[in-house]
Amino acid sequence: MSKILTKALLELADDHLILGHRLSEWCGHAPLLEEDLALPNMGLDLIGTARSLYTYACQVEDKNKSEDDFAFLRNEREYVNCLLVERPNFNFAHTILKQLYFSVFMELYWAAALNSDDEMLVGIAGKAKKEMAYHVRHSGEWTVRLGDGTSVSNEKMLQAVNALHLYTNELFINTENSDTYISKNILPDRTSFKANWQKKIKTIFKQAFITYPNNNDELLGGRVGLHGEELGHLLASMQSVHRLHPGAQW
Amino acid sequence: MVTHTVSERNQTGIINDDKALAWATASNVLDPEIPCVTVGELGIVRDIELIEDEVTVYVSPTYSGCPAVLAIEMAIETELLKVGFRPNIKRILSPPWTTDWISDVGREKLRKFGITPPVNASSKMGLFGKVNVECPRCSSNNTEKLSEFGSTACKAQYRCKNCLEPFDYFKCI
């Protein structure tokens, strides 16, 4: 195993940590008490998966490193999450759509990862896939409720689709680092999920009276460390305690 | 704290087998978030290896982000130290923990505590799919889901439309 696998694992781990942190930002701000519990709880699932992946990356690359080094001591340009997950929460409809896009993708991804030749990844996938099934249901049901709700909620869902859809293509692109491990049957091939992902999203959109965008607009860059300004703000807040007290333990 | 060595403890005749003692000690730790059931009953303790007084306990976390995982591991470690073992906790992810591993005794204890035990696999459910969840107090099936996520990651919030009491449902994974 090598540093290349670490880099490929970091793409997955960063997606989960950043989206998990975005969900935690809803704590105390959600529109309903139930959602105030639901969103941070789903954030916990994502951060838990990120921790397993970072810990695995440490075992692969450098046993002296810990998950905290990856999460708290890297700068924006070293983060390799896709742009979708770092998008700010903006409003509830945006958050729900972002969750839907990501969780439908990850449910397919983890299901495929169950057939990986890497035992550790199979273990992480087994847990994560079950959790993703819940996330898909949560965001799917809300997408339908909002899309098929009032004219205001429908309008907000349409605005969310306009704002976020162009970030979804990045989910289906394999990086050079992961390519090595796809051919070895360790990591799943991201391109293979596109048809099923679109099918599922289209089914939900139809129920929600949302038109699936026909254009091929895309915005990329996250996997090579080119992020939006908002990631810097997120990291500043997420990393501040750790950086103030380096190496602190309790 | 009174510390016995394993052999001293065995001479008391409580449990006449080191491995069984280690297993019982580890299994009897209570879940910190649902203190009516033990981690053994929840199926979190998967296996135990014993070489002289060094015991390796294999534990399987329930949810990836469950904040109780660390507390459970530390509690198991402490209890094993108390009876004279040298504990070593190993976290295993595969096969993933499932609610099917909760024992019948555990399920009954959950119900008595006011938490409806898991019914069937949710991952097969479609959008707006319904699970038949029974009220832990009046056993009515006339219940409704309030929220997919409750006080902890592993529970959902329900309300009984018969006795009007809200209750937790231990989700199926």
Side-chain angles (χ1 to χ4, degrees), chain A residues 14-196:
Chain A
D14 289 353
D15 281 359
H16 284 77
L17 179 67
I18 299 301
L19 191 60
H21 189 82
R22 279 286 182 233
L23 285 173
S24 78
E25 293 173 351
W26 274 106
C27 195
H29 300 279
L32 303 164
L33 181 60
E34 286 77 12
E35 287 309 302
D36 213 76
L37 293 170
L39 298 172
N41 256 317
M42 291 191 291
L44 265 183
D45 285 343
L46 296 175
I47 292 168
T49 304
R51 291 187 64 180
S52 301
L53 289 163
Y54 286 132
T55 304
Y56 185 33
C58 295
Q59 287 169 13
V60 170
E61 191 202 311
D62 178 356
K63 289 204 164 55
N64 295 320
K65 261 191 177 171
S66 84
E67 50 180 343
D68 287 351
D69 295 317
F70 285 124
F72 297 122
L73 297 175
R74 280 181 305 149
N75 296 320
E76 294 162 73
R77 292 297 292 268
E78 294 165 281
Y79 263 83
V80 285
N81 58 279
C82 63
L83 298 176
L84 175 72
V85 297
E86 73 189 48
R87 300 310 302 146
N89 290 333
F90 194 56
N91 64 28
F92 188 64
H94 268 241
T95 294
I96 289 300
L97 186 73
K98 195 175 12 156
Q99 289 306 120
L100 181 74
Y101 283 156
F102 183 75
S103 53
V104 170
F105 176 84
M106 284 316 303
E107 195 184 8
L108 295 166
Y109 187 95
W110 291 128
L114 289 175
N115 300 317
S116 161
D117 286 341
D118 184 286
E119 211 180 296
M120 192 67 191
L121 210 68
V122 172
I124 296 171
K127 289 213 89 53
K129 185 184 164 278
K130 293 181 181 187
E131 291 163 5
M132 276 306 129
Y134 264 102
H135 295 205
V136 168
R137 248 171 57 208
H138 174 266
S139 53
E141 289 178 2
W142 269 113
T143 301
V144 174
R145 270 191 212 114
L146 295 172
D148 186 14
T150 65
S151 57
V152 175
S153 68
N154 177 271
E155 182 58 30
K156 286 191 175 175
M157 280 311 294
L158 298 181
Q159 284 168 358
V161 174
N162 272 336
L164 294 173
H165 200 81
L166 76 170
Y167 295 104
T168 56
N169 252 355
E170 200 169 22
L171 291 170
F172 304 99
I173 296 171
N174 298 314
T175 61
E176 229 172 275
N177 293 324
S178 51
D179 269 339
T180 323
Y181 292 93
I182 292 165
S183 54
K184 289 180 183 164
N185 196 33
I186 286 180
L187 295 170
D189 177 1
R190 287 176 172 269
T191 59
S192 67
F193 308 125
K194 191 151 192 177
N196 280 336

Side-chain angles (χ1 to χ4, degrees), chain A residues 41 44 51, chain B residues 29-35 39 42 44 59-76 89 91 151-155 170:
Chain A
N41 256 317
L44 265 183
R51 291 187 64 180
Chain B
V29 166
L30 295 174
D31 183 289
E33 284 184 342
I34 317 169
V39 294
L42 287 174
I44 291 171
V59 297
S60 180
T62 53
Y63 279 75
S64 302
C66 181
V69 173
L70 208 63
I72 290 172
E73 290 174 356
M74 281 168 64
I76 293 176
I89 313 287
R91 204 180 288 181
S151 53
T152 63
C154 55
K155 288 177 283 176
F170 203 114

